[in-house]
Amino acid sequence: MTRTPLYLTPMRIPASAGAPGSVNIIRAGALLVALLCVVSCSGQSDAEDAFLPAEFDTRQDLLSGQVLIDSTFFMQAPLAWADLDTGSFNVVREAISNDTAAFFTLEPIRIMSSPAGASCIISKIADNLSVFESLNEDFKGKLKLTSQSENVTKGSFSVGGVRVVQYRVITPDLIAFKLFCLVDTGYYQIDYLLPAGLYEGEIRKVESSIGSITSRRTRKEVAR
C-alpha cells in the first residue's frame, strides 16, 4: 500500500500582489528561522503515523548528481540548484544556530539554491529526543502562528528506508515543505522553500529530489 505525498495534492496558491520573482537566499533562510520559532510543545503525539511507502515520479532529467549527506543518506538536488557559497552559507547557518527560540537545535549541513531563488536547507537535528513524538497538534498550531498561515498540512510517508513527517506551509509569498526525517537512529530536517511565483516551475524537481532520498543502509542492502 502506498501513500501519495502532500505536494502532489492539487492546491491553490494565494494571490500575492507584487510578489517578487526572485527571493534572496538569505531572506529565505531568515524566513525558515521564523518558521522554527516554536517555544513549547505538549499534548498527545502522532505516534500512530503509518509511514507508508510514498509514490514518486522521480525524473532523473530534473535532478543533479547524487550526494551523500552526513555519511547516512543519499539524495539528489533539483537540477540547476547549486550549493551556496561559503560566505552566504555561514550567514544562514549562524542565523539558524543562534536562534535560541527554535524548537529544535539544528546544525545546517548543506544549503542549495536555484538561480531564481528557491532553496533547500538540510540540517541535522542535534537534540537527543524523539522528534516524531514532538510533531503533534500543538506543534502544528504553533507552526501556523509563527508562519501566520492557516494553510498548514501534515502527512507521513517512507522513502528509500527513511521515515518522513512532512509539513506543507503555504503563505502568500512562499510554499515551504518541511521534512523531518529519521535515518537509522538520527533525525534530519530538510526544508524546500519555493517562492510562490516559482512553484509551478520547480515543484516537479522538488518531487524528484525527495523521491531520490535513500538511506545508506538501504542502499547497501539492495546492493547485496
Side-chain angles (χ1 to χ4, degrees):
M1 187 173 181
T2 57
R3 176 173 296 175
T4 302
L6 292 174
Y7 44 84
L8 295 182
T9 305
M11 57 176 284
R12 286 186 62 187
I13 300 174
S16 175
S22 175
V23 174
N24 183 278
I25 183 64
I26 304 303
R27 180 186 173 198
L31 189 48
L32 169 62
V33 170
L35 290 174
L36 294 172
C37 290
V38 285
V39 295
S40 65
C41 190
S42 61
Q44 294 299 111
S45 72
D46 291 327
E48 68 274 12
D49 285 334
F51 298 107
L52 300 175
E55 294 178 346
F56 291 92
D57 179 16
T58 305
R59 292 177 48 185
Q60 290 299 318
D61 61 316
L62 298 179
L63 294 172
S64 298
Q66 178 178 270
V67 295
L68 178 62
I69 305 297
D70 202 32
S71 299
T72 59
F73 67 96
F74 295 92
M75 68 176 294
Q76 292 172 264
L79 188 66
W81 291 31
D83 285 305
L84 214 57
D85 65 82
T86 302
S88 298
F89 174 85
N90 288 336
V91 169
V92 179
R93 180 181 62 182
E94 184 176 0
I96 294 174
S97 299
N98 292 338
D99 181 13
T100 58
F103 185 75
F104 298 118
T105 303
L106 299 179
E107 298 176 354
I109 297 172
R110 197 159 190 160
I111 303 175
M112 297 165 282
S113 65
S114 74
S119 59
C120 175
I121 302 177
I122 305 169
S123 305
K124 185 171 185 178
I125 300 177
D127 305 88
N128 185 23
L129 49 78
S130 178
V131 170
F132 287 164
E133 292 183 1
S134 301
L135 302 176
N136 53 31
E137 284 301 309
D138 215 26
F139 179 91
K140 183 178 178 180
K142 290 180 173 63
L143 191 57
K144 289 181 179 181
L145 180 64
T146 55
S147 64
Q148 298 183 349
S149 173
E150 287 296 317
N151 202 337
V152 177
T153 312
K154 179 190 176 185
S156 63
F157 57 89
S158 66
V159 56
V162 177
R163 291 186 172 187
V164 180
V165 173
Q166 175 184 282
Y167 289 87
R168 184 183 67 191
V169 182
I170 302 175
T171 73
D173 296 323
L174 184 77
I175 298 90
F177 297 100
K178 302 176 66 62
L179 279 64
F180 297 90
C181 306
L182 175 58
V183 186
D184 299 331
T185 59
Y187 288 92
Y188 295 83
Q189 181 172 314
I190 305 176
D191 291 85
Y192 291 89
L193 306 171
L194 301 178
L198 302 180
Y199 180 86
E200 294 296 335
E202 298 286 355
I203 187 57
R204 293 303 171 189
K205 293 181 183 179
V206 170
E207 175 190 354
S208 295
S209 178
I210 297 176
S212 74
I213 295 173
T214 308
S215 73
R216 190 174 187 180
R217 177 180 294 182
T218 298
R219 181 68 59 83
K220 288 181 178 179
E221 290 175 351
V222 171
R224 288 176 184 173

